[in-house]
Structures are given as C-alpha cells and as structure tokens.
mmCIF file with all atom_site columns, all heavy atoms in Angstrom:
data_model
loop_
_atom_site.group_PDB
_atom_site.id
_atom_site.type_symbol
_atom_site.label_atom_id
_atom_site.label_alt_id
_atom_site.label_comp_id
_atom_site.label_asym_id
_atom_site.label_entity_id
_atom_site.label_seq_id
_atom_site.pdbx_PDB_ins_code
_atom_site.Cartn_x
_atom_site.Cartn_y
_atom_site.Cartn_z
_atom_site.occupancy
_atom_site.B_iso_or_equiv
_atom_site.pdbx_formal_charge
_atom_site.auth_seq_id
_atom_site.auth_comp_id
_atom_site.auth_asym_id
_atom_site.auth_atom_id
_atom_site.pdbx_PDB_model_num
ATOM 1   N N   . GLY A 1 1  ? 0.774  -1.245 -0.034  1.00 95.00 ? 1  GLY A N   1
ATOM 2   C CA  . GLY A 1 1  ? -0.002 0.007  0.018   1.00 95.00 ? 1  GLY A CA  1
ATOM 3   C C   . GLY A 1 1  ? 0.853  1.274  0.019   1.00 95.00 ? 1  GLY A C   1
ATOM 4   O O   . GLY A 1 1  ? 0.299  2.319  0.451   1.00 95.00 ? 1  GLY A O   1
ATOM 5   N N   . LEU A 1 2  ? 2.011  1.205  -0.535  1.00 97.00 ? 2  LEU A N   1
ATOM 6   C CA  . LEU A 1 2  ? 2.905  2.407  -0.507  1.00 97.00 ? 2  LEU A CA  1
ATOM 7   C C   . LEU A 1 2  ? 2.406  3.620  -1.254  1.00 97.00 ? 2  LEU A C   1
ATOM 8   O O   . LEU A 1 2  ? 2.784  4.753  -1.031  1.00 97.00 ? 2  LEU A O   1
ATOM 9   C CB  . LEU A 1 2  ? 4.281  2.044  -0.993  1.00 97.00 ? 2  LEU A CB  1
ATOM 10  C CG  . LEU A 1 2  ? 5.097  1.010  -0.214  1.00 97.00 ? 2  LEU A CG  1
ATOM 11  C CD1 . LEU A 1 2  ? 6.442  0.771  -0.689  1.00 97.00 ? 2  LEU A CD1 1
ATOM 12  C CD2 . LEU A 1 2  ? 5.072  1.370  1.415   1.00 97.00 ? 2  LEU A CD2 1
ATOM 13  N N   . LEU A 1 3  ? 1.560  3.339  -2.363  1.00 98.00 ? 3  LEU A N   1
ATOM 14  C CA  . LEU A 1 3  ? 1.055  4.365  -3.194  1.00 98.00 ? 3  LEU A CA  1
ATOM 15  C C   . LEU A 1 3  ? -0.480 4.438  -3.067  1.00 98.00 ? 3  LEU A C   1
ATOM 16  O O   . LEU A 1 3  ? -1.119 4.922  -4.066  1.00 98.00 ? 3  LEU A O   1
ATOM 17  C CB  . LEU A 1 3  ? 1.550  4.170  -4.540  1.00 98.00 ? 3  LEU A CB  1
ATOM 18  C CG  . LEU A 1 3  ? 3.011  4.163  -4.818  1.00 98.00 ? 3  LEU A CG  1
ATOM 19  C CD1 . LEU A 1 3  ? 3.338  3.980  -6.293  1.00 98.00 ? 3  LEU A CD1 1
ATOM 20  C CD2 . LEU A 1 3  ? 3.671  5.442  -4.338  1.00 98.00 ? 3  LEU A CD2 1
ATOM 21  N N   . ARG A 1 4  ? -0.992 4.100  -1.970  1.00 97.00 ? 4  ARG A N   1
ATOM 22  C CA  . ARG A 1 4  ? -2.495 4.111  -1.764  1.00 97.00 ? 4  ARG A CA  1
ATOM 23  C C   . ARG A 1 4  ? -3.026 5.455  -2.115  1.00 97.00 ? 4  ARG A C   1
ATOM 24  O O   . ARG A 1 4  ? -2.586 6.506  -1.685  1.00 97.00 ? 4  ARG A O   1
ATOM 25  C CB  . ARG A 1 4  ? -2.767 3.713  -0.336  1.00 97.00 ? 4  ARG A CB  1
ATOM 26  C CG  . ARG A 1 4  ? -4.285 3.473  -0.104  1.00 97.00 ? 4  ARG A CG  1
ATOM 27  C CD  . ARG A 1 4  ? -4.628 2.909  1.354   1.00 97.00 ? 4  ARG A CD  1
ATOM 28  N NE  . ARG A 1 4  ? -4.113 1.553  1.369   1.00 97.00 ? 4  ARG A NE  1
ATOM 29  C CZ  . ARG A 1 4  ? -3.149 1.167  2.238   1.00 97.00 ? 4  ARG A CZ  1
ATOM 30  N NH1 . ARG A 1 4  ? -2.578 1.993  2.947   1.00 97.00 ? 4  ARG A NH1 1
ATOM 31  N NH2 . ARG A 1 4  ? -2.879 -0.089 2.157   1.00 97.00 ? 4  ARG A NH2 1
ATOM 32  N N   . ASP A 1 5  ? -4.110 5.362  -2.985  1.00 96.00 ? 5  ASP A N   1
ATOM 33  C CA  . ASP A 1 5  ? -4.899 6.570  -3.301  1.00 96.00 ? 5  ASP A CA  1
ATOM 34  C C   . ASP A 1 5  ? -4.220 7.553  -4.221  1.00 96.00 ? 5  ASP A C   1
ATOM 35  O O   . ASP A 1 5  ? -4.712 8.598  -4.464  1.00 96.00 ? 5  ASP A O   1
ATOM 36  C CB  . ASP A 1 5  ? -5.451 7.333  -2.115  1.00 96.00 ? 5  ASP A CB  1
ATOM 37  C CG  . ASP A 1 5  ? -6.399 6.360  -1.332  1.00 96.00 ? 5  ASP A CG  1
ATOM 38  O OD1 . ASP A 1 5  ? -7.056 5.523  -1.863  1.00 96.00 ? 5  ASP A OD1 1
ATOM 39  O OD2 . ASP A 1 5  ? -6.387 6.546  -0.054  1.00 96.00 ? 5  ASP A OD2 1
ATOM 40  N N   . GLN A 1 6  ? -3.029 7.140  -4.755  1.00 98.00 ? 6  GLN A N   1
ATOM 41  C CA  . GLN A 1 6  ? -2.227 8.113  -5.625  1.00 98.00 ? 6  GLN A CA  1
ATOM 42  C C   . GLN A 1 6  ? -2.608 7.934  -7.110  1.00 98.00 ? 6  GLN A C   1
ATOM 43  O O   . GLN A 1 6  ? -2.913 6.777  -7.480  1.00 98.00 ? 6  GLN A O   1
ATOM 44  C CB  . GLN A 1 6  ? -0.704 7.871  -5.415  1.00 98.00 ? 6  GLN A CB  1
ATOM 45  C CG  . GLN A 1 6  ? -0.258 7.995  -4.063  1.00 98.00 ? 6  GLN A CG  1
ATOM 46  C CD  . GLN A 1 6  ? -0.246 9.436  -3.505  1.00 98.00 ? 6  GLN A CD  1
ATOM 47  O OE1 . GLN A 1 6  ? 0.532  10.232 -4.021  1.00 98.00 ? 6  GLN A OE1 1
ATOM 48  N NE2 . GLN A 1 6  ? -1.157 9.804  -2.621  1.00 98.00 ? 6  GLN A NE2 1
ATOM 49  N N   . VAL A 1 7  ? -2.587 8.945  -7.862  1.00 98.00 ? 7  VAL A N   1
ATOM 50  C CA  . VAL A 1 7  ? -2.663 8.883  -9.270  1.00 98.00 ? 7  VAL A CA  1
ATOM 51  C C   . VAL A 1 7  ? -1.267 8.991  -9.891  1.00 98.00 ? 7  VAL A C   1
ATOM 52  O O   . VAL A 1 7  ? -0.535 9.974  -9.662  1.00 98.00 ? 7  VAL A O   1
ATOM 53  C CB  . VAL A 1 7  ? -3.498 10.167 -9.872  1.00 98.00 ? 7  VAL A CB  1
ATOM 54  C CG1 . VAL A 1 7  ? -3.533 9.988  -11.449 1.00 98.00 ? 7  VAL A CG1 1
ATOM 55  C CG2 . VAL A 1 7  ? -5.048 9.969  -9.433  1.00 98.00 ? 7  VAL A CG2 1
ATOM 56  N N   . VAL A 1 8  ? -0.840 7.830  -10.582 1.00 98.00 ? 8  VAL A N   1
ATOM 57  C CA  . VAL A 1 8  ? 0.526  7.786  -11.071 1.00 98.00 ? 8  VAL A CA  1
ATOM 58  C C   . VAL A 1 8  ? 0.577  7.764  -12.596 1.00 98.00 ? 8  VAL A C   1
ATOM 59  O O   . VAL A 1 8  ? -0.390 7.176  -13.216 1.00 98.00 ? 8  VAL A O   1
ATOM 60  C CB  . VAL A 1 8  ? 1.106  6.416  -10.578 1.00 98.00 ? 8  VAL A CB  1
ATOM 61  C CG1 . VAL A 1 8  ? 2.554  6.202  -11.150 1.00 98.00 ? 8  VAL A CG1 1
ATOM 62  C CG2 . VAL A 1 8  ? 1.007  6.250  -9.060  1.00 98.00 ? 8  VAL A CG2 1
ATOM 63  N N   . VAL A 1 9  ? 1.490  8.479  -13.184 1.00 98.00 ? 9  VAL A N   1
ATOM 64  C CA  . VAL A 1 9  ? 1.643  8.616  -14.453 1.00 98.00 ? 9  VAL A CA  1
ATOM 65  C C   . VAL A 1 9  ? 3.054  8.004  -14.928 1.00 98.00 ? 9  VAL A C   1
ATOM 66  O O   . VAL A 1 9  ? 4.043  8.412  -14.267 1.00 98.00 ? 9  VAL A O   1
ATOM 67  C CB  . VAL A 1 9  ? 1.571  10.038 -15.087 1.00 98.00 ? 9  VAL A CB  1
ATOM 68  C CG1 . VAL A 1 9  ? 1.769  10.185 -16.584 1.00 98.00 ? 9  VAL A CG1 1
ATOM 69  C CG2 . VAL A 1 9  ? 0.213  10.654 -14.704 1.00 98.00 ? 9  VAL A CG2 1
ATOM 70  N N   . VAL A 1 10 ? 3.029  7.169  -15.881 1.00 98.00 ? 10 VAL A N   1
ATOM 71  C CA  . VAL A 1 10 ? 4.322  6.465  -16.332 1.00 98.00 ? 10 VAL A CA  1
ATOM 72  C C   . VAL A 1 10 ? 4.499  6.532  -17.810 1.00 98.00 ? 10 VAL A C   1
ATOM 73  O O   . VAL A 1 10 ? 3.634  6.258  -18.612 1.00 98.00 ? 10 VAL A O   1
ATOM 74  C CB  . VAL A 1 10 ? 4.376  4.972  -15.887 1.00 98.00 ? 10 VAL A CB  1
ATOM 75  C CG1 . VAL A 1 10 ? 5.737  4.394  -16.105 1.00 98.00 ? 10 VAL A CG1 1
ATOM 76  C CG2 . VAL A 1 10 ? 3.936  4.743  -14.422 1.00 98.00 ? 10 VAL A CG2 1
ATOM 77  N N   . THR A 1 11 ? 5.663  7.113  -18.330 1.00 98.00 ? 11 THR A N   1
ATOM 78  C CA  . THR A 1 11 ? 5.917  6.971  -19.670 1.00 98.00 ? 11 THR A CA  1
ATOM 79  C C   . THR A 1 11 ? 6.742  5.827  -20.092 1.00 98.00 ? 11 THR A C   1
ATOM 80  O O   . THR A 1 11 ? 7.327  5.118  -19.316 1.00 98.00 ? 11 THR A O   1
ATOM 81  C CB  . THR A 1 11 ? 6.776  8.297  -20.070 1.00 98.00 ? 11 THR A CB  1
ATOM 82  O OG1 . THR A 1 11 ? 7.997  8.278  -19.417 1.00 98.00 ? 11 THR A OG1 1
ATOM 83  C CG2 . THR A 1 11 ? 5.964  9.555  -19.720 1.00 98.00 ? 11 THR A CG2 1
ATOM 84  N N   . ALA A 1 12 ? 6.606  5.548  -21.440 1.00 97.00 ? 12 ALA A N   1
ATOM 85  C CA  . ALA A 1 12 ? 7.306  4.329  -22.013 1.00 97.00 ? 12 ALA A CA  1
ATOM 86  C C   . ALA A 1 12 ? 6.991  3.086  -21.218 1.00 97.00 ? 12 ALA A C   1
ATOM 87  O O   . ALA A 1 12 ? 7.969  2.384  -20.727 1.00 97.00 ? 12 ALA A O   1
ATOM 88  C CB  . ALA A 1 12 ? 8.884  4.578  -22.077 1.00 97.00 ? 12 ALA A CB  1
ATOM 89  N N   . ALA A 1 13 ? 5.767  2.659  -21.181 1.00 97.00 ? 13 ALA A N   1
ATOM 90  C CA  . ALA A 1 13 ? 5.359  1.551  -20.326 1.00 97.00 ? 13 ALA A CA  1
ATOM 91  C C   . ALA A 1 13 ? 4.576  0.463  -20.998 1.00 97.00 ? 13 ALA A C   1
ATOM 92  O O   . ALA A 1 13 ? 3.879  -0.301 -20.340 1.00 97.00 ? 13 ALA A O   1
ATOM 93  C CB  . ALA A 1 13 ? 4.571  2.134  -19.096 1.00 97.00 ? 13 ALA A CB  1
ATOM 94  N N   . ALA A 1 14 ? 4.651  0.305  -22.291 1.00 94.00 ? 14 ALA A N   1
ATOM 95  C CA  . ALA A 1 14 ? 3.855  -0.665 -22.990 1.00 94.00 ? 14 ALA A CA  1
ATOM 96  C C   . ALA A 1 14 ? 4.538  -1.978 -23.256 1.00 94.00 ? 14 ALA A C   1
ATOM 97  O O   . ALA A 1 14 ? 3.894  -2.856 -23.759 1.00 94.00 ? 14 ALA A O   1
ATOM 98  C CB  . ALA A 1 14 ? 3.284  -0.099 -24.298 1.00 94.00 ? 14 ALA A CB  1
ATOM 99  N N   . GLY A 1 15 ? 5.799  -2.016 -23.030 1.00 85.00 ? 15 GLY A N   1
ATOM 100 C CA  . GLY A 1 15 ? 6.579  -3.296 -23.279 1.00 85.00 ? 15 GLY A CA  1
ATOM 101 C C   . GLY A 1 15 ? 6.563  -4.142 -22.047 1.00 85.00 ? 15 GLY A C   1
ATOM 102 O O   . GLY A 1 15 ? 5.733  -4.261 -21.263 1.00 85.00 ? 15 GLY A O   1
ATOM 103 N N   . ALA A 1 16 ? 7.810  -4.808 -21.896 1.00 85.00 ? 16 ALA A N   1
ATOM 104 C CA  . ALA A 1 16 ? 8.123  -5.783 -20.860 1.00 85.00 ? 16 ALA A CA  1
ATOM 105 C C   . ALA A 1 16 ? 9.247  -5.304 -20.028 1.00 85.00 ? 16 ALA A C   1
ATOM 106 O O   . ALA A 1 16 ? 9.825  -6.092 -19.226 1.00 85.00 ? 16 ALA A O   1
ATOM 107 C CB  . ALA A 1 16 ? 8.430  -7.112 -21.444 1.00 85.00 ? 16 ALA A CB  1
ATOM 108 N N   . GLY A 1 17 ? 9.585  -3.936 -20.095 1.00 93.00 ? 17 GLY A N   1
ATOM 109 C CA  . GLY A 1 17 ? 10.750 -3.510 -19.348 1.00 93.00 ? 17 GLY A CA  1
ATOM 110 C C   . GLY A 1 17 ? 10.398 -2.729 -18.040 1.00 93.00 ? 17 GLY A C   1
ATOM 111 O O   . GLY A 1 17 ? 9.310  -3.024 -17.464 1.00 93.00 ? 17 GLY A O   1
ATOM 112 N N   . ILE A 1 18 ? 11.145 -1.759 -17.748 1.00 96.00 ? 18 ILE A N   1
ATOM 113 C CA  . ILE A 1 18 ? 11.070 -1.040 -16.532 1.00 96.00 ? 18 ILE A CA  1
ATOM 114 C C   . ILE A 1 18 ? 9.694  -0.314 -16.336 1.00 96.00 ? 18 ILE A C   1
ATOM 115 O O   . ILE A 1 18 ? 9.059  -0.357 -15.352 1.00 96.00 ? 18 ILE A O   1
ATOM 116 C CB  . ILE A 1 18 ? 12.324 -0.104 -16.203 1.00 96.00 ? 18 ILE A CB  1
ATOM 117 C CG1 . ILE A 1 18 ? 13.584 -0.887 -16.018 1.00 96.00 ? 18 ILE A CG1 1
ATOM 118 C CG2 . ILE A 1 18 ? 12.077 0.721  -15.051 1.00 96.00 ? 18 ILE A CG2 1
ATOM 119 C CD1 . ILE A 1 18 ? 14.779 -0.110 -16.074 1.00 96.00 ? 18 ILE A CD1 1
ATOM 120 N N   . GLY A 1 19 ? 9.227  0.358  -17.400 1.00 97.00 ? 19 GLY A N   1
ATOM 121 C CA  . GLY A 1 19 ? 7.986  1.078  -17.368 1.00 97.00 ? 19 GLY A CA  1
ATOM 122 C C   . GLY A 1 19 ? 6.882  0.178  -17.038 1.00 97.00 ? 19 GLY A C   1
ATOM 123 O O   . GLY A 1 19 ? 6.084  0.605  -16.195 1.00 97.00 ? 19 GLY A O   1
ATOM 124 N N   . ALA A 1 20 ? 6.809  -0.812 -17.713 1.00 97.00 ? 20 ALA A N   1
ATOM 125 C CA  . ALA A 1 20 ? 5.644  -1.803 -17.541 1.00 97.00 ? 20 ALA A CA  1
ATOM 126 C C   . ALA A 1 20 ? 5.698  -2.374 -16.151 1.00 97.00 ? 20 ALA A C   1
ATOM 127 O O   . ALA A 1 20 ? 4.746  -2.536 -15.473 1.00 97.00 ? 20 ALA A O   1
ATOM 128 C CB  . ALA A 1 20 ? 5.675  -2.956 -18.498 1.00 97.00 ? 20 ALA A CB  1
ATOM 129 N N   . ALA A 1 21 ? 6.906  -2.524 -15.651 1.00 97.00 ? 21 ALA A N   1
ATOM 130 C CA  . ALA A 1 21 ? 6.997  -3.068 -14.243 1.00 97.00 ? 21 ALA A CA  1
ATOM 131 C C   . ALA A 1 21 ? 6.659  -2.063 -13.152 1.00 97.00 ? 21 ALA A C   1
ATOM 132 O O   . ALA A 1 21 ? 6.064  -2.406 -12.144 1.00 97.00 ? 21 ALA A O   1
ATOM 133 C CB  . ALA A 1 21 ? 8.528  -3.448 -13.997 1.00 97.00 ? 21 ALA A CB  1
ATOM 134 N N   . VAL A 1 22 ? 6.938  -0.750 -13.457 1.00 98.00 ? 22 VAL A N   1
ATOM 135 C CA  . VAL A 1 22 ? 6.440  0.294  -12.544 1.00 98.00 ? 22 VAL A CA  1
ATOM 136 C C   . VAL A 1 22 ? 4.900  0.355  -12.608 1.00 98.00 ? 22 VAL A C   1
ATOM 137 O O   . VAL A 1 22 ? 4.321  0.606  -11.462 1.00 98.00 ? 22 VAL A O   1
ATOM 138 C CB  . VAL A 1 22 ? 7.047  1.559  -13.020 1.00 98.00 ? 22 VAL A CB  1
ATOM 139 C CG1 . VAL A 1 22 ? 6.496  2.798  -12.177 1.00 98.00 ? 22 VAL A CG1 1
ATOM 140 C CG2 . VAL A 1 22 ? 8.653  1.617  -12.854 1.00 98.00 ? 22 VAL A CG2 1
ATOM 141 N N   . VAL A 1 23 ? 4.416  0.270  -13.680 1.00 98.00 ? 23 VAL A N   1
ATOM 142 C CA  . VAL A 1 23 ? 2.845  0.314  -13.727 1.00 98.00 ? 23 VAL A CA  1
ATOM 143 C C   . VAL A 1 23 ? 2.255  -0.798 -12.874 1.00 98.00 ? 23 VAL A C   1
ATOM 144 O O   . VAL A 1 23 ? 1.389  -0.513 -12.050 1.00 98.00 ? 23 VAL A O   1
ATOM 145 C CB  . VAL A 1 23 ? 2.288  0.236  -15.175 1.00 98.00 ? 23 VAL A CB  1
ATOM 146 C CG1 . VAL A 1 23 ? 0.806  0.023  -15.237 1.00 98.00 ? 23 VAL A CG1 1
ATOM 147 C CG2 . VAL A 1 23 ? 2.772  1.405  -16.004 1.00 98.00 ? 23 VAL A CG2 1
ATOM 148 N N   . ARG A 1 24 ? 2.698  -1.992 -12.998 1.00 97.00 ? 24 ARG A N   1
ATOM 149 C CA  . ARG A 1 24 ? 2.195  -3.108 -12.249 1.00 97.00 ? 24 ARG A CA  1
ATOM 150 C C   . ARG A 1 24 ? 2.479  -2.904 -10.745 1.00 97.00 ? 24 ARG A C   1
ATOM 151 O O   . ARG A 1 24 ? 1.612  -3.112 -9.967  1.00 97.00 ? 24 ARG A O   1
ATOM 152 C CB  . ARG A 1 24 ? 2.809  -4.476 -12.811 1.00 97.00 ? 24 ARG A CB  1
ATOM 153 C CG  . ARG A 1 24 ? 2.496  -5.684 -11.866 1.00 97.00 ? 24 ARG A CG  1
ATOM 154 C CD  . ARG A 1 24 ? 2.803  -7.029 -12.636 1.00 97.00 ? 24 ARG A CD  1
ATOM 155 N NE  . ARG A 1 24 ? 1.934  -7.124 -13.824 1.00 97.00 ? 24 ARG A NE  1
ATOM 156 C CZ  . ARG A 1 24 ? 0.739  -7.700 -13.674 1.00 97.00 ? 24 ARG A CZ  1
ATOM 157 N NH1 . ARG A 1 24 ? 0.281  -8.139 -12.571 1.00 97.00 ? 24 ARG A NH1 1
ATOM 158 N NH2 . ARG A 1 24 ? 0.033  -7.911 -14.813 1.00 97.00 ? 24 ARG A NH2 1
ATOM 159 N N   . ARG A 1 25 ? 3.689  -2.577 -10.390 1.00 98.00 ? 25 ARG A N   1
ATOM 160 C CA  . ARG A 1 25 ? 4.111  -2.302 -9.027  1.00 98.00 ? 25 ARG A CA  1
ATOM 161 C C   . ARG A 1 25 ? 3.223  -1.217 -8.402  1.00 98.00 ? 25 ARG A C   1
ATOM 162 O O   . ARG A 1 25 ? 2.848  -1.376 -7.224  1.00 98.00 ? 25 ARG A O   1
ATOM 163 C CB  . ARG A 1 25 ? 5.541  -1.938 -8.955  1.00 98.00 ? 25 ARG A CB  1
ATOM 164 C CG  . ARG A 1 25 ? 6.112  -1.744 -7.567  1.00 98.00 ? 25 ARG A CG  1
ATOM 165 C CD  . ARG A 1 25 ? 6.565  -3.057 -6.924  1.00 98.00 ? 25 ARG A CD  1
ATOM 166 N NE  . ARG A 1 25 ? 5.481  -3.800 -6.255  1.00 98.00 ? 25 ARG A NE  1
ATOM 167 C CZ  . ARG A 1 25 ? 5.739  -4.942 -5.588  1.00 98.00 ? 25 ARG A CZ  1
ATOM 168 N NH1 . ARG A 1 25 ? 6.996  -5.419 -5.491  1.00 98.00 ? 25 ARG A NH1 1
ATOM 169 N NH2 . ARG A 1 25 ? 4.800  -5.586 -4.987  1.00 98.00 ? 25 ARG A NH2 1
ATOM 170 N N   . ALA A 1 26 ? 2.980  -0.079 -9.111  1.00 98.00 ? 26 ALA A N   1
ATOM 171 C CA  . ALA A 1 26 ? 2.137  0.957  -8.590  1.00 98.00 ? 26 ALA A CA  1
ATOM 172 C C   . ALA A 1 26 ? 0.767  0.467  -8.287  1.00 98.00 ? 26 ALA A C   1
ATOM 173 O O   . ALA A 1 26 ? 0.188  0.836  -7.297  1.00 98.00 ? 26 ALA A O   1
ATOM 174 C CB  . ALA A 1 26 ? 2.161  2.119  -9.606  1.00 98.00 ? 26 ALA A CB  1
ATOM 175 N N   . LEU A 1 27 ? 0.130  -0.377 -9.112  1.00 98.00 ? 27 LEU A N   1
ATOM 176 C CA  . LEU A 1 27 ? -1.230 -0.876 -8.915  1.00 98.00 ? 27 LEU A CA  1
ATOM 177 C C   . LEU A 1 27 ? -1.128 -1.847 -7.714  1.00 98.00 ? 27 LEU A C   1
ATOM 178 O O   . LEU A 1 27 ? -2.004 -1.769 -6.889  1.00 98.00 ? 27 LEU A O   1
ATOM 179 C CB  . LEU A 1 27 ? -1.680 -1.579 -10.208 1.00 98.00 ? 27 LEU A CB  1
ATOM 180 C CG  . LEU A 1 27 ? -1.969 -0.722 -11.378 1.00 98.00 ? 27 LEU A CG  1
ATOM 181 C CD1 . LEU A 1 27 ? -2.110 -1.512 -12.731 1.00 98.00 ? 27 LEU A CD1 1
ATOM 182 C CD2 . LEU A 1 27 ? -3.182 0.084  -11.151 1.00 98.00 ? 27 LEU A CD2 1
ATOM 183 N N   . GLU A 1 28 ? -0.182 -2.697 -7.617  1.00 98.00 ? 28 GLU A N   1
ATOM 184 C CA  . GLU A 1 28 ? -0.032 -3.577 -6.455  1.00 98.00 ? 28 GLU A CA  1
ATOM 185 C C   . GLU A 1 28 ? 0.101  -2.774 -5.209  1.00 98.00 ? 28 GLU A C   1
ATOM 186 O O   . GLU A 1 28 ? -0.204 -3.279 -4.110  1.00 98.00 ? 28 GLU A O   1
ATOM 187 C CB  . GLU A 1 28 ? 1.073  -4.520 -6.686  1.00 98.00 ? 28 GLU A CB  1
ATOM 188 C CG  . GLU A 1 28 ? 0.911  -5.499 -7.805  1.00 98.00 ? 28 GLU A CG  1
ATOM 189 C CD  . GLU A 1 28 ? 2.129  -6.297 -8.103  1.00 98.00 ? 28 GLU A CD  1
ATOM 190 O OE1 . GLU A 1 28 ? 3.270  -5.896 -7.697  1.00 98.00 ? 28 GLU A OE1 1
ATOM 191 O OE2 . GLU A 1 28 ? 2.062  -7.274 -8.860  1.00 98.00 ? 28 GLU A OE2 1
#
C-alpha cells in the first residue's frame, strides 16, 4: 500500500521493461 490513493503517470510503459514493471508495481 505504499502508493495508496495516488494517481501515477508512467511514460514508455507498454513493453516488458522497467516502465511496464512500474505500472504493475504501482497498482499492487
């Protein structure tokens, strides 16, 4: 819950690299 209730924006995140991992981690 480190980012609970936050709106997060991530660029370059459609692949399988760091950006995509940040999106998933933020949701988790």
Side-chain angles (χ1 to χ4, degrees):
L2 299 184
L3 300 181
R4 187 173 289 116
D5 300 327
Q6 303 289 289
V7 175
V8 181
V9 179
V10 187
T11 62
I18 293 170
V22 172
V23 172
R24 174 168 291 276
R25 182 87 273 186
L27 290 165
E28 292 169 344

